[in-house]
Amino acid sequence: MITLYGFGAGFGLPEISPFVTKTEVQLKMAGLSYRKQRAMPPASPKGQLPYIEDAAQSIADSTFIRAHIERKYGFDFDAGLDLRTRAQAWAFERMIEHHVYWALIGARWVDFENFAKGSAHFFDGTPEHLRDRLREDAQFRVAENYLLSGLGRHAPDDDIDLAVRSLLALSVQLADQPYLMGERPCGTDATAFGALAGILTPFFDSKLRERAEEFQNLTAYVDRMMLQYYPDFAWKPLRQAA
Ligand SMILES: N[C@@H](CCC(=O)N[C@@H](CS)C(=O)NCC(=O)O)C(=O)O
């Protein structure tokens, strides 16, 4: 059986990491049974989560895991899509992973209040005399990556404006379809769901979340996908809880 290594539930989400969520949803889409185990990034062959173990193989990186599933289990995540639509799905995935994701990271890690209530707790189990230092180092490293992503170089709120343009592109593409590329879920739906749910979780207050909530087809999409792939999870976006 496949073992999926991820962070686990938290921050009002069934899985903290958008990339682990992508892989978990793709395992569900492919109908493969798996067990899930908590891990931290240094345990992964590429230093990031997710990674999986499948028989004697260890595979890291959500896109390589997808390729492994397609090759080994003969499951085509984009079945029914023609070549042009597959190319578009790939382009949307790159936009989500290399642009929208970094806006989410900015809101979670660079914003001090959100960091304190969220990712800072990753270090709760570390020796007390090292804890603050480890937290600071980790936040500094992520803030540096945010800068290198390009988004972190802009004036406050300009980064959000740019990210919202990508959310608009997703919203326009989704339109009133059930899934991004039409009537059936495809591989990129797992990616979009992971990132959008990560932004929309009410656990964090952010301008990014507020702006994302304005796209009603995206919020409804996340609600639908949550119900479909995590039916037992108590998803409580604020707009419903109110
Ligand atoms: N390209 C990777 C990205 C994975 C990724 O960024 N994972 C984050 C968690 S969401 C991580 O492990 N970050 C720790 C680090 O970069 O040190 C994938 O698709 O799996």
Side-chain angles (χ1 to χ4, degrees):
M1 188 190 293
I2 294 171
T3 304
L4 166 64
Y5 293 90
F7 291 91
F11 304 168
L13 295 161
E15 162 59 51
I16 281 174
S17 155
F19 285 100
V20 177
T21 305
K22 165 185 165 184
T23 293
E24 183 159 41
V25 169
Q26 288 182 346
L27 287 167
K28 290 170 191 265
M29 284 174 169
L32 295 173
S33 42
Y34 65 95
R35 74 169 82 87
K36 196 167 171 190
Q37 233 169 272
R38 273 175 195 267
M40 288 309 271
S44 161
K46 291 186 183 172
Q48 291 188 317
L49 299 180
Y51 74 102
I52 63 164
E53 279 170 0
D54 188 5
Q57 270 183 295
S58 213
I59 302 121
D61 189 289
S62 62
T63 302
F64 283 89
I65 297 170
R66 170 183 170 161
H68 169 81
I69 294 171
E70 294 188 316
R71 210 172 30 245
K72 178 164 178 183
Y73 298 97
F75 186 82
D76 180 359
F77 287 96
D78 291 351
L81 302 186
D82 62 18
L83 204 55
R84 175 185 286 253
T85 319
R86 284 171 187 255
Q88 288 165 349
W90 171 260
F92 275 111
E93 179 164 284
R94 294 305 97 206
M95 180 186 79
I96 296 163
E97 296 190 354
H98 297 284
H99 192 238
V100 173
Y101 170 74
W102 284 107
L104 176 156
I105 288 298
R108 267 190 204 183
W109 280 80
V110 182
D111 177 295
F112 274 90
E113 275 179 35
N114 283 338
F115 177 71
K117 71 195 285 205
S119 305
H121 291 289
F122 292 155
F123 304 92
D124 287 354
T126 57
E128 203 176 338
H129 66 288
L130 295 175
R131 198 172 300 151
D132 285 346
R133 181 66 192 275
L134 291 170
R135 282 187 178 132
E136 272 169 34
D137 285 355
Q139 193 184 25
F140 179 81
R141 264 200 325 276
V142 175
E144 203 169 44
N145 286 338
Y146 182 55
L147 193 75
L148 292 174
S149 80
L151 263 191
R153 293 187 185 275
H154 303 294
D157 292 354
D158 283 357
D159 55 348
I160 308 295
D161 285 342
L162 285 179
V164 168
R165 290 181 69 167
S166 294
L167 295 180
L168 174 64
L170 284 175
S171 174
V172 170
Q173 168 63 29
L174 179 63
D176 58 1
Q177 310 177 107
Y179 302 102
L180 268 187
M181 294 296 150
E183 293 299 314
R184 293 175 51 177
C186 71
T188 298
D189 282 294
T191 314
F193 167 69
L196 291 170
I199 289 170
L200 288 167
T201 174
F203 186 85
F204 297 112
D205 285 320
S206 69
K207 283 205 177 121
L208 180 64
R209 192 194 84 204
E210 284 168 24
R211 300 280 300 274
E213 283 170 349
E214 289 168 14
F215 297 100
Q216 283 177 17
N217 65 340
L218 295 185
T219 61
Y221 168 77
V222 169
D223 294 350
R224 275 198 310 279
M225 292 278 291
M226 193 67 82
L227 200 61
Q228 181 168 357
Y229 293 104
Y230 295 95
D232 299 327
F233 185 75
W235 171 236
K236 292 196 183 91
L238 284 183
R239 64 212 129 78
Q240 283 178 8

